[in-house]
């Protein structure tokens, strides 16, 4: 379990809003914070992008906590959010709600504008108007696009996103920096790398692969399985987020406008990567699934799709140096835990 940073008593007194609480990462973050005694309010729009029953099952797990309260709402519902911020008196906001999916953004762009941009603007305004002391928001490794220098660092240029989803996350970082600059709102952006594990998202490759192998159906593999992904187990991601929650960013006195560092700022704003820093080829990942499931995969090979990138690889040195973060779950161990949950949940 993630360690509580700083003064434990002060940390536990804080009221925290978690957006996307019925989602994969939001559920796990809400659970850890509730376990530790924080007063947690979770919101989610429960949209049908993937199985709503899975989202409801996550919420059912959270319902056992007296210190967890859930409200159904969308980030773009401005009036509802204004009331929520006004009445909630939140110390910290962890924004994990978003319309996700790189490929889906090529087919239907509007939810990405409505949720990820308009909705995020509502979050920023809610934080500003109610005096929130720290906004943590999920960004994405997809920002690095077709960058070829690896590992990806928060000091790298991210001006060439390969999908509208990535562009919306880039917009989030720029919007948050503007609020840090204009209003002194402390903001921390977390670029997350291919998160996997129990209670995960059915639209993600590892989830689809597992389902297809167990059902004896062909699974679709792009780019001959040569794409490399920095798979990061959910517990490690939550560990990184919890370590950041109580670490309010301060202006960087060494920031230089003549040679600007994209990862820090003269404003109270920081960016971090959260990944395993150990990329694996998709064919190797499929092999580990086969070994764990004790069943061979039937694969259909297709070329790389628009919006995809050949590799992701996180440089986590900034987060490690400032918080002591170190991912501890091997891919083999993480896959076993996911498969055990999958078999139990879907019987």
């Amino acid at each position: 379990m993630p360690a509580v940073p700083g003064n434990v008593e002060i940390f536990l007194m804080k009221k925290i809003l978690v957006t996307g609480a019925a989602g994969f990462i939001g559920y796990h973050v809400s659970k850890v914070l509730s376990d530790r005694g924080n007063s947690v309010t979770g919101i989610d729009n429960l949209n049908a992008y993937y199985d709503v029953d899975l989202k409801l099952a996550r919420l059912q797990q959270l319902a056992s906590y007296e210190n967890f309260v859930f409200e159904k709402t969308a980030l773009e519902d401005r009036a509802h959010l204004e009331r929520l911020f006004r009445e909630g008196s939140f110390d910290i906001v962890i924004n994990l709600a978003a319309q996700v999916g790189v490929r889906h953004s090529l087919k239907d762009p509007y939810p990405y504008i409505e949720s990820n941009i308009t909705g995020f603007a509502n979050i920023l305004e809610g934080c500003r108007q109610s005096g929130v002391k720290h906004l943590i928001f999920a960004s994405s490794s997809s920002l690095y696009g077709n960058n070829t220098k690896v590992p990806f660092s928060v000091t790298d240029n991210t001006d060439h996103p390969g999908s509208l989803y990535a562009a919306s996350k880039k917009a989030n970082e720029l919007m948050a920096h503007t609020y840090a600059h204009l209003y002194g709102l402390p903001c921390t952006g977390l670029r997350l790398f291919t998160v996997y594990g129990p209670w995960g998202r059915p639209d993600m490759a590892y989830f689809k692969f597992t389902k297809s192998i167990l059902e004896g159906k062909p699974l679709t593999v792009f780019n001959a399985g040569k794409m490399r992904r920095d798979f990061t187990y959910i517990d490690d991601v939550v560990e990184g987020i919890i370590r950041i929650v109580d670490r309010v960013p301060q202006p960087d006195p060494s920031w230089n406008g003549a040679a600007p560092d994209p990862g820090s700022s003269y404003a109270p704003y920081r960016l971090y990567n959260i990944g395993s820093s150990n990329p694996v080829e998709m064919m190797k990942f499929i092999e580990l699934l086969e070994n764990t499931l004790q069943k061979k995969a039937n694969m259909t090979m297709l070329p790389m799709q628009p919006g995809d990138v050949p590799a992701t690889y996180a440089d986590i040195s900034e987060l490690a140096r400032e918080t002591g973060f170190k991912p501890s779950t091997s891919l083999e161990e993480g896959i076993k835990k996911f498969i055990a949950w999958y078999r139990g949940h879907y019987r």
Side-chain angles (χ1 to χ4, degrees):
M1 278 291 183
V4 175
N7 186 303
V8 174
E9 184 178 351
I10 292 175
F11 179 84
L12 295 181
M13 287 171 60
K14 291 182 176 176
K15 299 178 67 177
I16 301 177
L17 173 66
V18 179
T19 75
F24 175 31
I25 303 172
Y27 157 71
H28 282 278
V29 169
S30 297
K31 186 175 185 301
V32 168
L33 292 172
S34 299
D35 272 332
R36 299 194 179 282
N38 284 107
S39 173
V40 181
T41 298
I43 63 171
D44 202 291
N45 66 355
L46 300 177
N47 69 20
Y49 172 70
Y50 66 79
D51 183 14
V52 174
D53 286 341
L54 179 58
K55 298 178 181 181
L56 294 174
R58 293 175 185 140
L59 287 178
Q60 190 174 16
Q61 298 285 315
L62 293 171
S64 61
Y65 293 99
E66 293 183 358
N67 52 327
F68 177 83
V69 176
F70 176 75
E71 288 195 31
K72 182 182 176 182
T73 189
L75 296 189
E76 54 268 36
D77 187 341
R78 179 176 167 185
H80 194 157
L81 281 189
E82 286 176 349
R83 178 192 62 76
L84 188 70
F85 274 98
R86 188 168 59 249
E87 297 175 0
S89 301
F90 303 114
D91 299 296
I92 296 167
V93 173
I94 304 176
N95 185 59
L96 301 171
Q99 177 58 55
V100 295
V102 168
R103 293 192 187 106
H104 186 65
S105 70
L106 277 65
K107 301 174 184 177
D108 187 6
Y110 293 105
Y112 296 83
I113 304 298
E114 293 159 4
S115 178
N116 299 8
I117 297 180
T118 301
F120 190 64
N122 291 338
I123 290 292
L124 287 167
E125 267 299 287
C127 290
R128 177 173 83 93
Q129 298 291 349
S130 62
V132 166
K133 299 176 180 65
H134 189 190
L135 168 63
I136 301 102
F137 64 97
S139 188
S140 171
S141 62
S142 64
L143 263 70
Y144 294 106
N146 287 301
N147 286 12
T148 56
K149 181 185 79 65
V150 292
F152 298 150
S153 168
V154 292
T155 63
D156 293 340
N157 182 286
T158 56
D159 290 338
H160 301 87
S163 68
L164 185 63
Y165 169 69
S168 72
K169 288 299 185 178
K170 175 70 174 182
N172 287 175
E173 293 186 357
L174 296 173
M175 293 162 73
H177 183 271
T178 302
Y179 271 67
H181 161 67
L182 290 175
Y183 309 114
L185 173 65
C187 295
T188 302
L190 304 176
R191 293 176 179 171
L192 307 179
F193 282 70
T194 317
V195 188
Y196 76 101
W199 295 100
R201 276 174 33 209
D203 63 311
M204 294 194 70
Y206 73 93
F207 208 112
K208 291 180 178 178
F209 289 170
T210 299
K211 187 175 188 292
S212 296
I213 294 171
L214 285 172
E215 294 178 357
K217 296 178 180 178
L219 54 92
T220 303
V221 181
F222 299 107
N223 195 35
K226 293 181 179 178
M227 291 190 295
R228 299 166 71 222
R229 291 292 180 265
D230 198 338
F231 291 99
T232 314
Y233 189 65
I234 182 62
D235 287 0
D236 290 330
V237 171
V238 175
E239 172 78 28
I241 293 172
I242 296 299
R243 286 175 180 266
I244 287 296
V245 164
D246 210 38
R247 190 178 183 86
V248 179
Q250 303 296 322
D252 181 359
S254 66
W255 195 88
N256 182 0
D261 172 12
S264 65
S265 177
Y266 55 85
Y269 174 86
R270 289 302 306 269
L271 293 172
Y272 299 98
N273 288 331
I274 300 185
S276 68
S277 201
N278 182 31
V280 174
E281 278 199 355
M282 289 304 297
M283 287 304 295
K284 174 64 175 176
F285 187 85
I286 293 169
E287 181 184 322
L288 289 172
L289 281 177
E290 290 176 322
N291 292 341
T292 305
L293 293 168
Q294 297 185 324
K295 192 172 182 180
K296 296 298 288 184
N298 177 18
M299 289 176 270
T300 300
M301 298 295 184
L302 292 178
M304 195 159 77
Q305 302 296 289
D308 277 348
V309 296
T312 62
Y313 183 177
D315 177 350
I316 58 172
S317 58
E318 294 276 337
L319 186 61
R321 180 172 62 253
E322 296 189 20
T323 72
F325 171 77
K326 183 178 181 182
S328 60
T329 308
S330 69
L331 188 57
E332 292 81 0
E333 181 186 356
I335 287 175
K336 287 178 182 177
K337 289 181 177 180
F338 168 70
I339 297 299
W341 168 83
Y342 185 96
R343 283 182 153 149
H345 184 75
Y346 292 102
R347 309 194 191 287

